[in-house]
Structure formats: C-alpha cells, structure tokens
C-alpha cells in the first residue's frame, strides 16, 4: 500500500468559499471508497484515471450535499486534487444555490470550469503547493457577487454552532416549516438533516485524529444518546458500522481532516 495525502489551504480571499484542498496519490488493492456526507460540496479533478460512480465516470466533477455515502469504485490507483467547497462557494463560483446540486454529481465542465485544461496543467505542475496555487488561480477567476438570503445563511451558521432547529427558527422569526422549506431550497437538505450530517462529520473527525477515542467517547462528545444511537446513525449515513468503516477505510484517510 502506497498512500500520499497532502492538505493545503486556499488563498485567504477564497476561504469563505473553499475550506481546504487535498492532494492524493494512492496505490492500493482495487475496491470501493465511501464518500461520506459532510457540510462541504466536493470538487475533484483527477490527474490519472477517473472517479467511477454508479451514475457515471468523471475525470473532473462537482458533487452536492448528500445524506448517504457515495460509493466510488477504483482499480487500486487514485490520483488527483479535491476541493471542499462551502455552499456559498457554489454561488460564488457557479452562480447557483447549492441545492441545485444536492444528491447529484455533475461533470465540472458543465459548470463553466475549463476542466480539461485544468487537469493538464495539474499534471505538469511540479509540487502539491504548485497545484494548489493553480487551483487558487482558476477558482479566483470564477468568483462573482453572491446574493443569499440573510436568514438562511444565519441558520446555517447557527446549525454549525450546534443550535437546535426550533431555536434558530425563533431567532429568525419563522415557523419551523417555513425555515425548513427555505433552507432546503438553498442547500438541498433540511436543517434537521444538515444538523445530523454535521454531528456525523464531527464524529468522523474525532475518529481520524491522532489519538483515536473509543466509540463510546465519540458518541458522548458528539451528542448521541448512547453508542447504539451512534452506531445506527453512522450506518444510515455511511452504509457501514463505525467499526467496519475504521477497518476498511481509516488507513487511507488517517490525518486527512484538518486540526
């Protein structure tokens, strides 16, 4: 097994729109990889091969928010750059709400990105730092003014801080039903589902840490009622139990989350 994984930050002006870059080069046994639900949308440009999903093969892609694992088949070699986009980044780069990409994956060139040219330039760049700088350049050229409803953006921020949905609705002066409808129109998922995904993401970040806690500790720290609740939620969102995921995939993603 030969795994190289490098994480970088975008240029400061892009950080409201992109949380991180990940460069990867992995040679393993052929198999599957689970793309887990998170608060980020995923932009990938391969440098060799394709990303093979149930609905197509992509040399460069963008995938929306989702509440179940995306199954990626591979032949044992994966090489490319991944960018984690914020929902507001989708508006900034592509001029659309993140909700339009929810649960789907599209070829990057359909969004106005010169994917073939970018892929070729990434291939000839000498270092990961050079590749990340190249992505900075391309994404910076896409940025446009962002128009987003203030209440919906505020609701996202409050969910990320751990606020309950009912409390957020009261803060913005909407009913829970109206908040859910407007929120889903922007992001493609309801506040309740996004809160569930964010909790799942926090649990995954803990499991990727240098000192891996017990599953009981993760469940308690992330607000699950007990370990059984944690196991059920993880299986629903990941398609495997935490123990199965740790055994199958943690060696390939260890340390892949920032701080």
């Amino acid at each position: 097994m030969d795994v190289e994984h490098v994480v970088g930050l975008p240029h400061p002006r892009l950080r409201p729109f992109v949380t991180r870059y990940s460069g990867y080069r992995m040679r393993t046994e052929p198999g599957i990889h689970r793309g887990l639900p998170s608060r980020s949308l995923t932009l990938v440009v391969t440098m060799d091969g394709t990303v093979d999903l149930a609905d197509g093969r992509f040399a460069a892609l963008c995938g929306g928010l989702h509440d179940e694992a995306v199954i990626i088949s591979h032949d044992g070699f994966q090489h490319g750059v991944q960018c984690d986009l914020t929902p507001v980044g989708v508006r900034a780069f592509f001029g659309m709400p993140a909700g339009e990409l929810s649960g789907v994956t599209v070829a990057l060139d359909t969004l106005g990105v010169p994917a073939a040219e970018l892929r070729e330039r990434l291939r000839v760049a000498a270092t990961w730092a050079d590749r990340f700088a190249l992505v900075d350049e391309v994404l910076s050229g896409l940025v446009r003014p962002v128009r987003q409803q203030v209440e919906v953006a505020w609701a996202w921020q409050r969910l990320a801080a751990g606020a309950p949905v009912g409390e957020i609705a009261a803060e913005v002066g909407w009913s829970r039903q109206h908040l859910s409808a407007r929120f889903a129109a922007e992001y493609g998922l309801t506040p309740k589902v996004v809160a569930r995904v964010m909790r799942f993401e926090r649990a995954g970040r803990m499991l990727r840490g240098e000192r891996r806690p017990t599953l009981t500790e993760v469940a308690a720290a992330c607000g699950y009622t007990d370990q059984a609740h944690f196991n059920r939620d993880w299986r629903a969102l990941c398609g495997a139990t935490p123990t199965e995921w740790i055994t199958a995939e943690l060696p390939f993603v260890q340390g892949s989350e920032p701080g």
Side-chain angles (χ1 to χ4, degrees):
M1 181 175 70
D2 179 18
V3 176
E4 179 183 11
H5 191 277
V6 179
V7 174
L9 292 175
H11 189 279
R13 68 175 173 269
L14 291 175
R15 291 180 193 172
F17 313 131
V18 186
T19 57
R20 67 166 188 165
Y21 299 140
S22 303
Y24 60 89
R25 186 180 185 278
M26 297 185 285
R27 194 176 297 279
T28 63
E29 291 296 321
I32 66 167
H33 166 67
R34 290 179 174 88
L36 300 183
S38 77
R39 72 190 69 193
S40 301
L41 294 88
T42 302
L43 187 157
V44 175
V45 181
T46 65
M47 294 161 62
D48 290 285
T50 55
V51 178
D52 298 344
L53 309 178
D55 55 354
R57 307 176 72 179
F58 300 89
L61 62 84
C62 187
L65 299 177
H66 50 100
D67 62 351
E68 59 184 14
V70 175
I71 304 301
I72 303 165
S73 302
H74 63 86
D75 63 2
F77 186 62
Q78 302 173 78
H79 189 198
V81 175
Q82 175 174 318
C83 311
D84 292 349
L85 308 184
T86 65
V88 72
V90 176
R91 280 198 176 274
F93 299 141
F94 311 133
M96 65 172 67
E100 291 192 20
L101 295 174
S102 178
V104 301
T105 301
V106 299
L108 193 57
D109 54 9
T110 66
L111 298 175
V113 180
E117 176 187 348
L118 174 56
R119 192 181 191 216
E120 188 58 36
R121 292 177 69 189
L122 288 172
R123 282 173 167 168
V124 301
T127 67
W128 288 115
D130 291 339
R131 294 174 190 127
F132 296 156
L134 174 58
V135 178
D136 271 345
E137 175 190 328
V138 171
L139 293 182
S140 293
L142 297 174
V143 174
R144 66 195 77 190
V146 173
R147 295 179 181 177
Q148 188 179 30
Q149 190 168 21
V150 173
E151 292 89 347
V152 173
W154 169 255
W156 179 278
Q157 295 170 6
R158 295 290 287 131
L159 278 178
V165 176
E167 181 179 310
I168 297 170
E171 289 173 353
V172 299
W174 291 347
S175 69
R176 289 184 59 145
Q177 291 78 10
H178 185 66
L179 172 63
S180 291
R182 299 303 295 266
F183 192 95
E186 180 67 27
Y187 302 117
L189 302 175
T190 67
K192 183 178 179 180
V193 173
V194 168
R196 187 185 187 199
V197 167
M198 287 178 173
R199 180 172 59 183
F200 169 83
E201 188 180 35
R202 288 194 294 271
R205 188 174 293 116
M206 289 185 68
L207 291 176
R208 289 178 172 95
E210 292 183 5
R211 186 199 75 81
R212 189 192 309 162
T214 67
L215 298 183
T216 301
E217 289 172 331
V218 173
C222 295
Y224 294 95
T225 54
D226 53 30
Q227 189 177 333
H229 178 206
F230 173 43
N231 288 344
R232 288 194 305 272
D233 217 49
W234 189 280
R235 178 181 283 280
L237 292 167
C238 174
T241 67
T243 300
E244 290 168 345
W245 178 80
I246 287 168
T247 300
E249 299 215 32
L250 190 58
F252 309 122
V253 297
Q254 189 79 38
S256 65
E257 290 285 351

